[in-house]
Each structure stands twice: as C-alpha cells, then as structure tokens.
C-alpha cells in the first residue's frame, strides 16, 4: 500500500526542495503529486514554456525513487490568458462574467480555453514522456458539472437540445412548456435554468441542463486525456473528484480515465447524530464502485481544515493514521495526503498539511511517519480487492432531480443509501455502491433506493435481476418521473408496480413529523419524512403503519416475482429498523453476518482469490475490543492474535 503527499514546489523557495524531498523519502512517502495549479509558472507568457524548475523537482524525486503524479494545470489559467481572452471566463447565473483572482474561472466549453489547455497539456506530456518517474497524470482539479452561462455555453446547450429533440416544438413537448406560457418559438429563447426564484424552474429543463453540463465536462476530459494518450498511449490518467455542489455524474466522468481518485476529508468532529456514524465508509465504497475497481485517494486529511470557513478542530490522535487505513480497507491502493506542508500564502494558509507553517515535525508528522511504516508492511494487500454480496445502487440523475425538487422536509436521497449502508456495516459485510446500470447477477442482494427518474435500461436491469432469482429492495419515490423529469399519469410506482406486486393508493409527505410502523414480528419502529400507503396485488405486508389514518395499511411489502423477491419500503425509518431489516435480508439470502461488533467498528475484507485479509477499524473515540473466532495473523503487528484491542480510530488487519 502506497502513501504519498501533495506538494507545491512553486509555493516554496527552491532552496527547500531538496530537504523536503529527502525528508519525504526518509519518512516513507512513495509518491508525490505536483503541478496541478502551476500554469503561470509553466507558461509565464503566451507560448513561452518554462519547465526548468519542474525538471529540477522531478530530478530530485527521481534521485530518491519517488514516483510523481503530474497535474495538468488546466484549472488555473494564468491571468495573462484571461486578460487577453476574457471570453474564456465563466459567466454566472446573473449573466455577468465572474471576477478572476481565485481559481477555476475558466469555461470548459470555450474553444480558446481548450486550445490553450490542450497546448500546455501537450507541451507537458512531450516534455515528460520519457520520464520514468512520472507514474500518473491528473487532469485538472475537482471538476464539477460547471454551470457556466456564457454565450458559448448557451449556444452549445441550444444545439445539444436540438440534437436530442429535433425541433423547438419537440423541446416544448418534452419540457411541457404550455405551463406558464413557457413555449419557445425560437431556439434563442432557451436559457439555462437561472430565472428567479431558482426553485421555480422547470424540472425538465433543469435535468437536461444537468445532462448538458455533464456532457460538456466529459468532452473536456476526453479531449485532454486524448491529448495525453496520443503522446503516451499507456499513460495512467485520472482526475481527483469529490462530493460537491455541482456533483458530476461520476460514472461518466471516469469512463475515459484509467482509475478513480478521490479527495478524502473524513469528519474530524464526529457527528453527534448516531444515524450518521458510518457515512464516511459509504463515500469510499461509492468511489470504489465508480469503476468497480480499486481507487486512489489523491488528497487526504492531514490537519485542521479551514481558511474560508472557521478552522476545524485538529484531527484527534489516531485519525491521520486510522482514516488513511480506512481508505485502504475500502479499496484504496494509494493514499496521498494533502499536503506535505501548510501554505504560508494564499487563501488556504489555514488548511493544514502534515507539517505546520513552522516546518518543525509535530504530533501529526509522527503519526504520519508511523502510517508510512505500517503501509509498507501491507504489501501482501497488493492485488487484493473487495468482493461483495451486497450492492447499493446510486443514481446521479435521481440524486440531481431530488436536489431540484426536495420531496418533503428532511427527505434526502443519499440518507437512504447511507442508512442501508450503515445497517449492513453493523454486520461486517462488504458493500458495493454501484451504478444502476451495473451487471447485478453476482450479487445476492441489491438495494435500489428511490430510483426517481425512470430509465428503461435500468428498469430492465432490475427486472432481469429479480427474474433470475435476485433479491431486490426498492424504496419510496421510485418510478415517479419519466426520463424528462416529468410526472407520469399512472399509479405509483409505475414501472415497478408489477415487480413489487403492490400499488401506492396514497402517499403522505409527513416531513419531520413521525409515525410508527410494526413489522411482521410485532416490533415497532419510528418512521418519518414519507409514507407510501401500499395496496398489495400479489405482495405480502412485511410491516404496517400502526397509527395515523392509514393505520393497518402496509408500509413495507415483500413480493415473490419469478425466481426472485422484491421488497418495497414505502417510508423512511431510523437505524433500528434498517438493522433489523438488514439482518432478515442477510439471513434470507445466506449472507454471513458478524454479530456483536462494538458500535463504530467497521469490518471489510480484501481478497486476492486465495488469501483473505480482514480489516477491523474502530471508527469511534472509545477503545474497542473484539474477540476473533481463532488466532489470526496481524499484518500490522506481525503476530498472531485471538483478540483485537483497538484504540480510538485504531485499525488491525488480520489474515483469515
Ligand atoms: C480540495 C482541493 C485542494 C484544496 C483542498 C483543501 O480538495 O482539490 O486543492 O483546495 O480542497 O481545501
Ligand atoms: Zn461558458
């Protein structure tokens, strides 16, 4: 397992480079990411390239065997370029060009920007193509589905709509523009969804705009990655992604790229709400699921965060190491810490790296050095992966559509995915979080919460899975919208009615108020946010409402369909329901359960097909002890153990 650091040589006096790199290597760092913001240093004026300084840094890295991830610096065009070509600057929702002076101001649809972006990329790739120290390339930085509204973007959006629908008449039809005299009589009337108030936009227009901004992003990534590949066909290319406001469609973003990398900033302050406890592991599983392959962490928590926001507390003892090992436990093969040393200058001077401003090794550095040592003992995990019986499906389009139209107070799409994830985590199960298009036949159990926007191939995928014997769980707000994000004149859950063997006779968006449900065993659970009142056709009730005007009506159903089983959970509950439901589902699908794990302990398994390695991570601030069924060899402490004593945020990894 590999530990790395993010390093910004352009921000430090060159006299520090050698000692920095020497200390990195002494500490056990194996890779370093460089360059992703350094365009103004690499091309100080139009067409004049200066790689001298970067050559020197890379030479120093090579001399000590450090691998380099080179960032293509396209997120930060130099100010001379913005000045010469203001048309490459993004335009905001207010129709005005945004003010330059921070980062990421470029419009990725601008041909002039693209020309310069491809030119700097090509120069870099040509210059470093023979350099064996450069092990991977990072395109840009934390790309979002950018909502730029410049004339170029608007024009491209209009053509995108014409390509998709044919004519203005068909666009009107798809968007239902007879509402509020919204009919377009010419393409020039089509605007991005920015009218005031924003929440009153046409949801169909919003979803197509989201699709368009994703397509723009993807063609940008494609062009830059092709520029690299033309020179270096075997280059390993990635981009570092994250969970953000304008979240792109991760599955499509990484289609063109070799591997996923993720900026991993787990919570320093543990959530007070126990319902949120496991959510971070969920993010890691989602990242692994994007390409259904191991991934890298390209930025990892290293110190107190903050700068534009008040600073966070310092990571508690154990967190620097524990959170990095947690990423390995969920399929990371490399964890690169952001950043080697805290900046003295610029907006992020209080977003701390491993070393403080002083450059004097501190508590976090000591823990990081220990992490490097442990990671180097984990080579047996090379070429291991996570194999899961359970999949949770994540739909970027449904998530986006819910963001456009919140369903009820407190209703949050990702919360349901996390609630199921937490429930299976409590039993030590490996869980994949994957796209609804994924081939599902190898899973014993598939959870598909709130597939809100219909997609024919996804619907067919789910039917196929159940017909062939799979066990599927659907939840409230499934099948609600057609592919344009419009409602459907049919009983809910429309396309899934037959599969679940039930219809929704009424729904009650109860928001933050509460009701109760009672399961078949007589156990009661609180439910909230949403209540679907189910009327079974062929299904049986798994749980019924025990109060309210739909008392005694089914809230959760189970239906045998062809060779498989489809459950439907028509409401949203607290973790106690999901845990008991998960336990039943696992029993029925013969998925092994670990019982009695201390609260907060996460267990995952990586395998190479022969050996299995079990990770025990104490994701809590209290010590935990875990008895093993037999003595197992710990690859962290190199001894056999039949009991694990884990400090807060402590990890042990044993061979099964
Ligand atoms: C992101 C960015 C980094 C830096 C960090 C810390 O992950 O990619 O460049 O800004 O956040 O704020
Ligand atoms: Zn634009």
């Amino acid at each position: 397992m590999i530990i790395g650091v993010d390093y910004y040589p352009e921000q430090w006096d060159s006299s520090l480079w050698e000692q920095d790199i020497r200390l990195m290597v002494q500490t056990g760092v194996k890779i370093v990411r460089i360059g992703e913001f350094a365009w103004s240093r690499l091309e100080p004026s139009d067409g004049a390239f200066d790689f001298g300084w970067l050559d020197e840094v890379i030479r120093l890295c090579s001399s000590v065997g450090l691998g380099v991830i080179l960032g293509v610096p396209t997120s930060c065009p130099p100010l001379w370029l913005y000045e010469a070509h203001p048309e490459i600057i993004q335009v905001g929702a207010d129709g005005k060009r945004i003010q330059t002076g921070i980062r990421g101001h470029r419009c990725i649809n601008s041909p002039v920007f693209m020309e310069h972006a491809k030119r700097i990329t090509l120069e870099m790739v040509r210059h470093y193509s023979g350099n064996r120290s450069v092990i991977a390339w990072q395109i840009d930085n934390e790309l979002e589905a950018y909502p730029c509204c410049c004339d170029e973007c608007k024009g491209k959006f209009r053509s995108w709509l014409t390509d998709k629908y044919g004519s203005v008449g068909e666009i009107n039809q798809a968007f239902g523009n007879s509402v509020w005299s919204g009919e377009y009589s010419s393409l020039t009337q089509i605007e991005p969804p920015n009218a005031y108030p924003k929440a009153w936009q046409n949801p169909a227009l919003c979803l197509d705009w989201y699709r368009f901004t994703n397509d723009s992003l993807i063609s940008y990534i494609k062009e830059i990655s092709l520029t690299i590949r033309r020179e270096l066909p075997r280059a390993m290319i990635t981009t570092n992604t994250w969970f953000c406001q304008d979240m792109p469609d991760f599955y499509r973003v990484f289609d063109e790229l070799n591997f996923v990398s993720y900026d991993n900033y787990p919570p320093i302050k543990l959530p007070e709400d126990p319902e949120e406890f496991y959510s971070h592991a969920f993010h890691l599983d989602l990242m692994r699921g994007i390409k259904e392959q191991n991934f890298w962490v390209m930025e990892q928590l290293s110190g107190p965060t903050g700068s534009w926001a008040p600073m966070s507390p310092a990571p508690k003892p154990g967190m620097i190491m524990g959170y990095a090992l947690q990423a390995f436990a969920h399929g990371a093969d490399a964890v690169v810490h952001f950043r080697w040393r805290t900046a003295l200058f610029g907006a992020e001077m209080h977003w701390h790296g491993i070393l403080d401003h002083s450059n004097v090794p501190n508590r976090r550095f000591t823990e990081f050095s220990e992490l490097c040592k442990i990671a180097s003992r984990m080579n047996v995990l090379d070429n291991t992966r996570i194999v899961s019986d359970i999949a949770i499906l994540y739909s970027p389009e449904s998530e986006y559509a819910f963001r456009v139209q919140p369903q009820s107070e407190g209703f949050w799409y990702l919360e349901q995915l996390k609630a199921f994830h937490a429930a299976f985590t409590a039993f030590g199960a490996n869980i994949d979080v994957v796209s609804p298009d994924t081939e599902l036949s190898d899973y014993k159990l598939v959870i598909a919460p709130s597939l809100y926007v219909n997609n024919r191939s996804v619907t067919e995928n789910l039917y196929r899975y159940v017909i062939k014997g799979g066990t599927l769980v659907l939840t409230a707000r499934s099948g609600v919208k057609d592919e344009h994000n419009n409602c459907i004149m049919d009983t809910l859950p429309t396309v899934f009615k037959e599969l679940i063997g039930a219809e929704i006779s009424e729904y009650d968006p109860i928001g933050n108020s509460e009701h109760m449900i009672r399961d078949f065993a007589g156990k009661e659970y609180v439910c909230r946010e949403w209540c679907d009142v189910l009327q079974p056709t062929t299904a049986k009730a798994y749980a019924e409402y025990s109060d309210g005007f739909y008392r005694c009506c089914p809230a959760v159903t189970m239906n045998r369909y062809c060779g498989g089983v489809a459950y439907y959970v028509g409401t949203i509950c607290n973790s106690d329901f999901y845990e008991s439901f998960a336990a039943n589902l696992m029993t029925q699908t013969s998925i092994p359960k670990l019982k009695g794990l201390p609260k907060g302990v996460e267990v995952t398994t990586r395998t190479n097909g022969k050996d299995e390695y079990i990770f025990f991570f104490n994701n809590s601030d209290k010590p935990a002890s875990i008895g093993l069924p037999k003595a197992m060899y710990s690859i962290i402490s190199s001894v056999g153990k039949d009991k694990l004593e884990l400090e807060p945020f402590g990890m042990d990894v044993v061979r099964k």
Side-chain angles (χ1 to χ4, degrees):
M1 299 287 98
I2 298 172
I3 297 290
V5 291
D6 297 307
Y7 186 54
Y8 298 91
E10 71 278 18
Q11 297 179 15
W12 304 106
D13 193 278
S14 56
S15 61
L16 281 169
W17 295 345
E18 191 167 356
Q19 69 185 66
D20 281 346
I21 287 166
R22 206 177 326 115
L23 184 58
M24 285 175 203
V25 167
Q26 277 166 10
T27 312
V29 168
K30 302 274 189 260
I31 54 177
V32 51
R33 182 192 66 175
I34 297 174
E36 80 277 13
F37 299 127
W39 194 338
S40 71
R41 283 288 171 95
L42 293 169
E43 189 181 357
S45 62
D46 199 353
F49 296 93
D50 176 9
F51 291 109
W53 65 273
L54 188 54
D55 289 347
E56 175 58 10
V57 178
I58 296 181
R59 189 191 64 74
L60 289 167
C61 292
S62 308
S63 70
V64 290
L66 267 185
V68 172
I69 302 134
L70 256 193
V72 174
T74 46
S75 80
C76 286
L79 293 176
W80 60 255
L81 185 55
Y82 286 132
E83 189 178 42
H85 297 285
E87 74 275 20
I88 74 168
I89 303 171
Q90 285 175 30
V91 168
D94 58 1
K96 296 195 185 116
R97 285 213 189 275
I98 58 177
Q99 169 81 48
T100 56
I102 305 178
R103 66 178 180 185
H105 307 300
R106 74 276 178 265
C107 166
I108 56 169
N109 275 321
S110 151
V112 176
F113 166 70
M114 274 314 294
E115 190 189 309
H116 283 82
K118 285 200 290 193
R119 187 172 72 176
I120 179 92
T121 304
L122 189 62
E123 289 290 331
M124 271 180 102
V125 181
R126 285 198 174 138
H127 193 84
Y128 294 108
S129 64
N131 195 311
R132 310 243 324 252
S133 292
V134 178
I135 55 165
W137 294 79
Q138 175 186 303
I139 294 179
D140 212 288
N141 190 71
E142 294 192 338
L143 285 162
E144 297 174 40
Y146 278 105
C148 175
C149 301
C150 74
D151 287 342
E152 190 67 42
C153 286
K154 271 193 219 173
K156 286 194 168 148
F157 181 46
R158 290 167 185 162
S159 321
W160 184 95
L161 288 170
T162 323
D163 289 348
K164 178 168 176 182
Y165 296 105
S167 67
V168 161
E170 277 151 312
I171 300 172
N172 284 329
Q173 174 90 19
F175 289 4
N177 279 340
S178 57
V179 174
W180 296 345
S181 289
E183 275 143 329
Y184 305 125
S185 54
S186 128
L187 276 180
T188 51
Q189 295 154 8
I190 302 179
E191 293 288 335
N194 285 322
Y196 180 81
K198 188 122 173 100
W200 288 35
Q201 303 300 316
N202 182 342
L205 169 69
C206 292
L207 184 58
D208 266 347
W209 173 250
Y210 173 69
R211 289 169 173 151
F212 161 75
T213 53
N214 265 299
D215 279 359
S216 303
L217 181 63
I218 281 133
S219 65
Y220 168 59
I221 291 174
K222 220 183 234 176
E223 289 228 27
I224 301 290
S225 59
L226 270 179
T227 308
I228 301 174
R229 273 192 223 295
R230 267 191 220 107
E231 294 295 313
L232 270 179
R234 303 232 300 266
M236 292 298 287
I237 311 176
T238 188
T239 185
N240 55 329
T241 201
W242 63 315
F243 293 88
C244 57
Q245 178 66 26
D246 294 299
M247 204 129 73
D249 180 333
F250 297 128
Y251 303 108
R252 300 197 48 220
V253 162
F254 284 98
D255 246 7
E256 295 303 315
L257 302 173
N258 298 86
F259 65 101
V260 169
S261 60
Y262 170 51
D263 294 347
N264 188 30
Y265 294 100
I268 294 178
K269 225 171 142 186
L270 293 186
E272 276 156 26
D273 180 356
E275 304 285 321
E276 267 185 57
F277 209 60
Y278 293 114
S279 56
H280 199 68
F282 167 81
H283 292 147
L284 297 166
D285 285 341
L286 193 153
M287 286 296 141
R288 187 185 71 253
I290 295 173
K291 283 187 96 65
E292 299 179 46
Q293 270 173 25
N294 289 356
F295 62 101
W296 284 21
V297 170
M298 203 58 102
E299 296 182 17
Q300 171 79 18
L301 177 75
S302 300
T305 60
S307 266
W308 48 87
M311 277 185 259
S312 74
K316 296 187 179 58
M319 273 185 174
I320 302 281
M321 164 124 66
Y323 280 148
L325 296 175
Q326 182 198 26
F328 290 143
H330 288 269
D333 282 340
V335 174
V336 181
H337 283 251
F338 183 88
R339 43 192 276 165
W340 174 245
R341 184 170 45 238
T342 314
L344 301 181
F345 312 110
E348 291 199 325
M349 59 175 77
H350 293 137
W351 193 288
H352 291 73
I354 292 291
L355 288 164
D356 287 324
H357 300 114
S358 65
N359 203 26
V360 177
N362 54 19
R363 171 185 68 84
R364 300 194 308 280
F365 180 83
T366 308
E367 191 174 314
F368 176 72
S369 315
E370 184 61 18
L371 165 69
C372 291
K373 285 200 194 79
I374 287 178
S376 69
R377 291 207 287 275
M378 296 171 89
N379 289 344
V380 286
L381 292 165
D382 293 351
N383 305 314
T384 58
R385 46 193 287 270
I386 290 178
V387 179
S388 312
D389 288 327
I390 304 169
I392 298 178
L393 307 187
Y394 162 69
S395 157
E397 285 209 343
S398 288
E399 187 189 6
Y400 176 81
F402 283 129
R403 270 192 276 152
V404 172
Q405 291 181 293
Q407 301 292 289
S408 70
E409 253 179 291
F411 180 101
W412 183 38
Y413 171 69
L414 281 181
E415 179 192 49
Q416 289 185 71
L417 281 79
K418 288 180 178 178
F420 278 102
H421 189 274
F424 295 116
T425 299
F427 297 111
N430 281 353
I431 307 156
D432 286 352
V433 180
V434 290
S435 154
D437 287 307
T438 299
E439 167 56 49
L440 299 171
S441 51
D442 284 343
Y443 292 110
K444 291 184 179 164
L445 180 59
V446 173
I447 315 292
S450 302
L451 289 176
Y452 181 62
V453 179
N454 284 342
N455 173 313
R456 210 189 158 123
S457 71
V458 168
T459 308
E460 288 172 1
N461 198 25
L462 298 185
Y463 271 87
R464 207 178 308 123
Y465 171 68
V466 177
I467 287 169
K468 287 192 185 153
T471 300
L472 174 72
V473 177
L474 296 174
T475 75
R477 308 314 280 150
S478 298
V480 175
K481 297 293 193 94
D482 68 11
E483 73 276 20
H484 302 299
N485 205 11
N486 295 321
C487 286
I488 302 170
M489 194 183 280
D490 191 3
T491 312
L492 290 171
T494 68
V495 292
F496 298 118
K497 269 189 299 201
E498 190 186 323
L499 187 59
I500 68 158
E503 298 189 347
I504 292 157
S505 55
E506 180 173 5
Y507 53 70
D508 190 4
I510 59 173
N512 291 330
S513 51
E514 290 181 351
H515 273 300
M516 298 299 288
I517 61 170
R518 185 184 297 121
D519 72 9
F520 64 94
K523 215 169 162 239
E524 288 212 292
Y525 304 92
V526 168
C527 71
R528 54 197 152 80
E529 292 164 33
W530 193 274
C531 297
D532 275 334
V533 181
L534 286 148
Q535 215 163 46
T537 49
T538 55
K540 291 196 170 54
Y542 176 98
E544 293 176 351
Y545 294 102
S546 48
D547 58 4
F549 63 85
Y550 28 86
R551 199 168 75 86
C552 295
C553 294
V556 181
T557 54
M558 188 272 270
N559 187 41
R560 296 200 183 282
Y561 185 78
C562 300
V565 184
Y567 288 84
Y568 184 89
V569 181
T571 186
I572 292 160
C573 296
N574 291 337
S575 57
D576 56 349
F577 168 76
Y578 294 104
E579 271 189 34
S580 130
F581 188 43
N584 285 334
L585 290 167
M586 290 171 84
T587 305
Q588 271 157 44
T589 50
S590 312
I591 298 172
K593 286 192 286 285
L594 286 182
K595 291 201 194 110
L597 281 175
K599 190 107 192 101
V601 170
E602 300 171 2
V603 183
T604 49
T605 305
R606 286 178 68 146
T607 175
N608 54 19
K610 202 161 95 328
D611 296 314
E612 287 187 9
Y613 297 92
I614 314 175
F615 290 71
F616 290 86
F617 177 48
N618 179 13
N619 195 356
S620 84
D621 50 14
K622 296 185 187 60
S625 78
I626 301 145
L628 301 177
K630 57 170 189 180
M632 296 188 196
Y633 179 77
S634 159
I635 63 167
I636 297 218
S637 40
S638 311
V639 288
K641 292 179 174 177
D642 55 12
K643 191 166 187 201
L644 307 179
E645 300 290 352
L646 299 176
E647 292 295 308
F649 311 102
M651 168 76 85
D652 213 330
V653 186
V654 296
R655 191 170 56 215
K656 197 173 169 184

